[in-house]
Amino acid sequence: MEEGKSWESDDDQVSDVENDAAASFGVNGVDRYWSDMSERNMSYREPLIKRRMNTTSQIAIVGVNVSPIESLDYEIIENELFKQDWRSRKKIQIFQYISLKWAFALLIGVGTGLVGFFNNIAVENLAGYKLLLTTDLMSEQKYYKAFLAYAGCNVVLATAAAVLCAYIAPAAAGSGIPEVKAYLNGIDANSILAPRTLFVKIFGSIFGVSAGFVVGKEGPMVHTGACIASLLGQGGSKKYHLTWNWLRYFKNDRDRRDLITCGAAAGVAAAFRAPVGGVLFALEEAASWWRSALLWRTFFTTAVVAIVLRAFIEYCGTGKCGLFGQGGLIMFDVSSATASYTVPDILAVLFLGVIGGIFGSIYNYLVDKVLRTYSIINEKGAIFKVILVIAISLLTSCCAYGLPWLAHCIPCPEHLKVSCPTVDGSGNFKRFHCPPGHYNDLASLFLNTNDDCIRNLFSTSTEKEFHISSLFIFLVAIYFLGIITYGIAIPSGLFIPVILAGSSYGRLVGRLFAPFSKLDMGLFSLLGAASFLGGTMRMTVSLCVILLELTNDILLLPLVMLVLLISKSVADTFNKGVYDQILKLKGLPYLESHAEPYMRNLVARDVVSGPLITFSGIETVGAILHALRTTGHNGFPVIDEPPLTDVPELCGVVLRSHLLVFLKEKYFSGVKVLSGKEILQRFDASDFAKAGSGKGLTLEDLDIKEEELEMFVDLHPITNTSPFTVVETMSLAKAAILFRQLGLRHMCVVPKAQGRPPIVGILTRHDFMPEHVLGLYPRLNPHK
Amino acid sequence: MEEGKSWESDDDQVSDVENDAAASFGVNGVDRYWSDMSERNMSYREPLIKRRMNTTSQIAIVGVNVSPIESLDYEIIENELFKQDWRSRKKIQIFQYISLKWAFALLIGVGTGLVGFFNNIAVENLAGYKLLLTTDLMSEQKYYKAFLAYAGCNVVLATAAAVLCAYIAPAAAGSGIPEVKAYLNGIDANSILAPRTLFVKIFGSIFGVSAGFVVGKEGPMVHTGACIASLLGQGGSKKYHLTWNWLRYFKNDRDRRDLITCGAAAGVAAAFRAPVGGVLFALEEAASWWRSALLWRTFFTTAVVAIVLRAFIEYCGTGKCGLFGQGGLIMFDVSSATASYTVPDILAVLFLGVIGGIFGSIYNYLVDKVLRTYSIINEKGAIFKVILVIAISLLTSCCAYGLPWLAHCIPCPEHLKVSCPTVDGSGNFKRFHCPPGHYNDLASLFLNTNDDCIRNLFSTSTEKEFHISSLFIFLVAIYFLGIITYGIAIPSGLFIPVILAGSSYGRLVGRLFAPFSKLDMGLFSLLGAASFLGGTMRMTVSLCVILLELTNDILLLPLVMLVLLISKSVADTFNKGVYDQILKLKGLPYLESHAEPYMRNLVARDVVSGPLITFSGIETVGAILHALRTTGHNGFPVIDEPPLTDVPELCGVVLRSHLLVFLKEKYFSGVKVLSGKEILQRFDASDFAKAGSGKGLTLEDLDIKEEELEMFVDLHPITNTSPFTVVETMSLAKAAILFRQLGLRHMCVVPKAQGRPPIVGILTRHDFMPEHVLGLYPRLNPHK
């Protein structure tokens, strides 16, 4: 287990603070100085590490085997090598670069579209044959056999998913949206986007959804899209001797981030067939940084997904895809419902939104509790994970098969276009145990795929099709099943459980308001789903557009908007969105887009800390090696000192990864001279290109001999001469905004007074975390 | 005319560069130093000013009476007063603040919705009665009288619009989108959002559109929305003694920017009834900065607009609004067209996109040329503006009335649901000069309101309704009329002309491809409009969503996306988007979101320049007054010097506007002492709140006596102690990104070496303009 290392690996310039500095804060945070970093005592180091261990253990509690977390660097490292490369760029290279970006967007779209389609076909067929088998046995009145067949199939599928997840790629468990969100915020937890995660996510999701769990495939699709994008972005692996010169431009975090943003959008587009919704999802929920150019590329990707899906659906329309075939992926048509509404309707919708928001926030609260409980079980080992999955599978099967016995048989309505009771797998009117000419409404909801169930609930002009008691039983069962299912070791999306619960809730409210309101039950169902989604996910625009694209009726827009706004506002007063909650639970150091209020009372140097390790412009190999060995820092300030310059001056920041490459090549000199020109001739920017996650050089790859330790290295060519800086008295709030807005990994703090050493310290992501800041200054009011 | 001042007012720390610095560049931009600012000679000052004058005259050429341009400051000015205010904030105030933001969003939505609705009713009635009159006279075969009536009405309406525009608010001419875009980029050209501009924009647009010009109301609606938002944001005018304590939080550019973003989105939402499209328009085209929280608020505003419009349309559905009544604002229903397509269809669409892109870029090119020509006329005086408008109005009338005579009379098709020839004002089948039972297809296009014309062109299942020759004549006429109409002194949107030309172009292409393609002509028309829009506006996601919301059919999405992507890509190889072109023509210092390539070859100090004027922490009144008088700078660095501190150190930046308030209050002291505490007691952050555009104090408002000049002022309480800084060797590209991303007005450049004065210079928006940088370094290759 590498968990113990998880935080340490990113403590670029470990933060600490001296005794009196912490004590003196509060009186006047601005008027404090320290004259020399070396004077600072280290008495506070102990508790700091202890606190970190807590955070680390927090990571463990969600039961995900998190690999070392590393920060991503979205800054352009403008060192001499980069500039040399930049100046020698030819027009054709720039054209290639741009074309490649588009080509990759295309590939991501095609890939995600194919996976999305494959996923649907597989689920529809697996679940379809399972349900057909059950129905056949039921119609022969072999009820116990039917249950055994049903539950057996479920357990087998569930075990397959759990085994994949527990033994091959633990990172594939859960929704994946929080992890993608974290990556796009600049947190790289290695295996999150690894090929094996992709593999498990695809098949685990298929098995999990087919197993009848109350889980969706939407979160996993987002994760899948991101994994596909990441694979492409890391294309050209040195390890396998597959490098292409034209791929070198993508060897940086910026371009990979863009690709993964496209991937996340493509995932939503594939899951919901909602291209615009996908773009907005990436924009509103997933991405932390955004550019107008990216909007366009993301849109292109989702358009490709839509076209791929469309082509395949037309192909399947001729019945070549087994049980898959009717109506597209998920597409719920409520457009036949009239969308005119009056004051009582609006009141009903308001009521729906408020209660939906409350239920949504309770959902989040319970998911959090359940995750914490499960983590204790999951921590015990992979086999426990599998057992938990089997237990939940059995419970789900019991609910799905057992609860319909509580429902009454309802005579089939007359003048139906479809057969009643339903004869084939999917359909509104499951016969279950009922006599001919009757159907069991609860079985129609439970013994169906999730997509079909939602389609049933959303169906219009079906006022009386579901009995109130059935809806109530279904709502309660699905609400709690959804909560206890998230967190087990299978890929599990949260959208579908929430939509299921929300739409049955909506129908229930619709039945309550039936005397006053003329809105269709299908519409109520949609609005109920919107209210639950708003209450849990806390997205607005993207959810609204996704729902519109699902239902293909823009006239519903104002009502859906209203419900989303209300339910989000209500739920926001109680707790955070479910993805943010999971992020926090996983201990990922997510940077919020706003600064916390108390940060205005601090300045940058209040959180900056020592010991600051700097290099000289021309440094000995030994000193560098010592610094690399004894610290986990990923960036080191480089200071030019006399005799090289008249006075000490800040040259820039050099990265650990660049130093490792440099030392590996052993371009050392016996004397302290500038050797920039030769280095520029010998090296190329692509030599220092960022390797894929976890593939870079490590200290163990170096082979430095004893006699080489006293030799010199000219660091200038690999030093980023344009690091972003703040003056030490910059308020921490503004420094945080700068750090987050520009996607930095390191930020230098420079002195404000003449005559001081040219750098005061380095800030990293870690230094802006509320836990860190409030740990340093416990007397601060976190809300002021 | 204040144009001569327009650039000067923002040259905070006028840029200049010494002779040898410019000469030495290119060899090694990094290794150059200067030891002291005072040594720098001023020999290059002359040509710099000359170049600026050129820019100023560029402003004049578009004929808009631009008031002084000022930069906006989106940075939080964290001085002592702000912090005092921040710390004393009560929960209730924060709650008020947030509620107010939402309340304002609501108000903006309601306001813009009302205006949009009023605009539509007015146009439909004015234009409707005009057309009815003409048709009546035509049916009596009084052709000359009909023309006189038609042209007469047009000229009267056009003159009304032109007089309003030329004499009351010249800033209301044109689309308004470039100006809003510039504002949201941080450029405040005073009268752009003034109340009189709002007034003229509303009525000028109504008269202009009713006058039969080939102009739209969409751009003006965006401008109107922004004006409404600006009015609200500046609410609480000190001038009229209308200040409320709860409004003081909005006395800054940040909050106003947010409001105006909402306003721009509301404008699009009102113009097209496209709430999601409005949000995306604001995001993609209008706004330069964006936060997730803003997405939500903008969405709320557009939802309110949609609800308001819906309510009024239902009210008007009962026939209470004169000629207005059928079918909503503009809502073109092509949903009856089947949206399945095959390979030949895709090829047709590709062809359509490529040619559309070319036509779009030619459109932009011609608009640019025409604008430059018109500016010569418009510059001569208001009366010339009016004459130009009348001339164009007569030309438009001649085309609209004359060209239909070229068309053949077509026998009415059988089995129609509507009467043919049309009996009332709007309708597909204008009789014009034809015998009974026949209609003139060209008249149906020309002698209609623009909205009805588009509806006709978009109508489905009307393959043969328009003759190819008629479509061709219409396309050519509208294409060129659209080009020569933009730039005359009326509020004129560009969307509708482009959609008109594009949809007739689409129909033409559809007719060409009829043997191969089975796509409906209405669909071709829509795709043609998309291709022209993509080719001129260069938006993608927002246009796509707007078109979808107009046509209410999501299944068209892939085709529309494809066309937009192609036409935008094709057009981008030729020139810039039309709004960017107009921005440039107006000489507005727009900051692009990306850095120019050559900026990587420069560092921050290469463009920074003197004479740098700094203040001491406790400065004499005389020195401040002198600096304010002799420079146009808006921000001054404050340096604490011995004996106050041991060594000189950077305290922060103080703003001109704050200094003026401070001097006005005359809190002077005879001796050089810190008087921060008393000042904090006497002043309040709201005293320094930013006044509405052009309402702040000026030097003339001060009344400083001779004996006060030697007294001291403690600048600490009003100094922003957290200015954003870059080290002098930061590459200009990265500095530009920082400046733009954080919405700054001033950025300090600090030295990299120990022992130098704590500040090197200040950068402003102006210093990043390509014209400025390339002016300093003419030998730079702008593309590398």
Side-chain angles (χ1 to χ4, degrees), chain A residues 724 738 742, chain B residues 725-726 734-742 747:
Chain A
F724 285 97
L738 169 60
L742 298 173
Chain B
T725 54
V726 289
K734 282 171 110 172
I737 299 277
L738 169 62
F739 193 87
R740 155 72 200 249
Q741 292 273 66
L742 297 173
M747 186 160 72

Side-chain angles (χ1 to χ4, degrees), chain A residues 526-579:
Chain A
L526 174 71
L527 295 174
S531 76
F532 267 39
L533 284 171
T536 51
M537 318 259 161
R538 315 289 164 86
M539 292 178 263
T540 49
V541 186
S542 48
L543 276 180
C544 189
V545 172
I546 289 172
L547 286 174
L548 288 181
E549 288 189 289
L550 280 181
T551 54
N552 196 15
D553 192 353
I554 282 163
L555 296 175
L556 301 177
L557 185 64
L559 284 185
V560 175
M561 269 181 166
L562 192 67
V563 165
L564 279 172
L565 287 170
I566 292 169
S567 66
K568 180 182 149 79
S569 310
V570 168
D572 269 346
T573 59
F574 296 112
N575 49 23
K576 279 186 161 190
V578 69
Y579 296 129

Side-chain angles (χ1 to χ4, degrees), chain A residues 267-281:
Chain A
V268 171
F272 293 110
R273 271 182 80 191
V276 180
V279 173
L280 286 171
F281 170 82

Side-chain angles (χ1 to χ4, degrees), chain B residues 286-604:
Chain B
S288 295
W289 291 280
W290 197 265
R291 292 171 294 121
S292 192
L294 193 55
L295 191 69
W296 189 25
R297 198 129 38 86
T298 313
F299 191 43
F300 174 70
T301 314
T302 59
V304 170
V305 171
I307 290 169
V308 168
L309 285 180
R310 196 188 175 91
F312 275 103
I313 287 163
E314 279 195 3
Y315 171 80
C316 282
T318 52
K320 289 172 192 157
C321 309
L323 293 181
F324 179 88
Q326 43 179 342
L329 291 170
I330 38 173
M331 177 67 89
F332 314 109
D333 200 352
V334 297
S335 57
S336 55
T338 52
S340 74
Y341 36 85
T342 52
V343 174
D345 299 335
I346 302 278
L347 290 179
V349 167
L350 289 176
F351 175 80
L352 190 92
V354 172
I355 307 295
I358 294 171
F359 273 113
S361 63
I362 297 174
Y363 197 94
N364 288 5
Y365 175 80
L366 293 176
V367 161
D368 190 68
K369 292 286 162 230
V370 167
L371 277 179
R372 284 172 195 273
T373 317
Y374 281 179
S375 66
I376 301 166
I377 303 169
N378 286 339
E379 244 184 355
K380 291 184 179 162
I383 189 70
F384 285 88
K385 291 184 181 178
V386 177
I387 291 170
L388 181 62
V389 171
I390 292 174
I392 300 292
S393 171
L394 285 173
L395 180 63
T396 308
S397 300
C398 290
C399 284
Y401 192 85
L403 291 175
W405 294 92
L406 299 176
H408 299 286
C409 291
I410 304 176
C412 281
E414 288 167 21
H415 313 302
L416 276 177
K417 284 178 196 160
V418 294
S419 61
C420 174
T422 311
V423 281
D424 57 351
S426 64
N428 264 8
F429 304 103
K430 291 269 175 185
R431 192 178 144 197
F432 206 63
H433 66 300
C434 295
H438 287 67
Y439 72 96
N440 183 319
D441 57 348
L442 208 44
S444 305
L445 297 176
F446 272 122
L447 287 177
N448 245 335
T449 60
N450 293 333
D451 289 357
D452 281 331
C453 177
I454 294 176
R455 201 173 286 123
N456 290 350
L457 285 168
F458 278 9
S459 60
T460 50
S461 317
T462 51
E463 252 84 298
K464 307 275 173 189
E465 198 176 286
F466 300 101
H467 200 267
I468 290 188
S469 63
S470 302
L471 284 173
F472 185 75
I473 293 171
F474 184 74
L475 169 60
V476 173
I478 286 292
Y479 190 81
F480 289 103
L481 277 178
I483 290 167
I484 61 166
T485 309
Y486 191 84
I488 62 173
I490 59 166
S492 46
L494 276 165
F495 271 96
I496 291 291
V498 173
I499 291 178
L500 276 171
S503 52
S504 49
Y505 155 76
R507 250 181 198 263
L508 259 181
V509 173
R511 294 297 278 271
L512 287 179
F513 278 91
F516 319 106
S517 167
K518 283 182 182 165
L519 290 182
D520 193 277
M521 287 303 131
L523 195 49
F524 262 114
S525 190
L526 174 71
L527 295 175
S531 76
F532 268 39
L533 284 171
T536 51
M537 318 256 163
R538 314 290 163 86
M539 292 178 265
T540 50
V541 187
S542 48
L543 275 180
C544 189
V545 172
I546 288 172
L547 286 174
L548 288 182
E549 288 187 291
L550 280 181
T551 54
N552 196 17
D553 192 354
I554 282 162
L555 297 174
L556 302 177
L557 186 64
L559 286 185
V560 175
M561 269 181 167
L562 192 68
V563 165
L564 280 172
L565 287 170
I566 292 169
S567 65
K568 179 183 151 79
S569 310
V570 169
D572 269 346
T573 59
F574 296 112
N575 51 23
K576 278 184 159 192
V578 69
Y579 295 130
D580 289 322
Q581 231 174 36
I582 296 170
L583 264 179
K584 201 164 180 186
L585 200 64
K586 293 208 168 190
L588 296 171
Y590 188 84
L591 276 179
E592 296 289 344
S593 63
H594 59 272
E596 300 295 331
Y598 55 82
M599 287 186 176
R600 296 223 182 274
N601 294 323
L602 296 171
V603 297

Side-chain angles (χ1 to χ4, degrees), chain A residues 428-506:
Chain A
N428 263 7
F429 303 103
K430 292 268 176 187
R431 191 178 145 197
F432 207 63
H433 67 299
C434 295
H438 287 68
Y439 71 98
N440 183 319
D441 56 348
L442 208 44
S444 306
L445 298 176
F446 272 121
L447 288 177
N448 245 334
T449 59
N450 293 332
D451 288 358
D452 280 331
C453 176
I454 294 175
R455 202 174 286 122
N456 289 351
L457 284 168
F458 277 9
S459 60
T460 50
S461 315
T462 51
E463 250 84 298
K464 305 277 171 187
E465 198 177 288
F466 301 102
H467 200 268
I468 290 189
S469 64
S470 302
L471 285 172
F472 184 74
I473 293 170
F474 183 74
L475 168 60
V476 173
I478 286 292
Y479 190 81
F480 289 105
L481 278 178
I483 290 167
I484 61 166
T485 308
Y486 191 83
I488 63 173
I490 58 166
S492 45
L494 276 165
F495 271 96
I496 292 291
V498 172
I499 292 178
L500 276 172
S503 52
S504 49
Y505 155 76

Side-chain angles (χ1 to χ4, degrees), chain A residues 205-228:
Chain A
S205 173
I206 289 172
F207 294 146
V209 174
S210 308
F213 280 119
V214 186
V215 297
K217 52 186 178 261
E218 290 63 34
M221 274 309 300
V222 171
H223 197 165
T224 303
C227 284
I228 291 173

Side-chain angles (χ1 to χ4, degrees), chain A residues 33 75-76 78 283 296 299 303 310 339 557 561 565 600 648-650 722 731 734 752 754 756 784, chain B residues 33 75-76 78 87 275 283 296 299 303 310 339 540 561 565 600 648-650 722 731 734 752 754:
Chain A
Y33 288 134
E75 189 184 344
I76 293 173
E78 286 194 358
L283 174 67
W296 190 23
F299 191 43
R310 196 189 176 90
L557 185 64
M561 269 181 166
L565 287 170
R600 295 221 182 275
E649 53 181 58
L650 178 63
S722 296
S731 89
K734 282 171 106 171
K752 69 169 188 171
Q754 197 170 333
R756 304 254 312 281
K784 197 141 184 182
Chain B
Y33 290 133
E75 188 185 343
I76 293 172
E78 286 194 357
R87 289 195 194 109
L283 174 67
W296 189 25
F299 191 43
R310 196 188 175 91
T540 50
M561 269 181 167
L565 287 170
R600 296 223 182 274
E649 54 180 58
L650 178 62
S722 297
S731 90
K734 282 171 110 172
K752 70 169 185 168
Q754 197 169 336

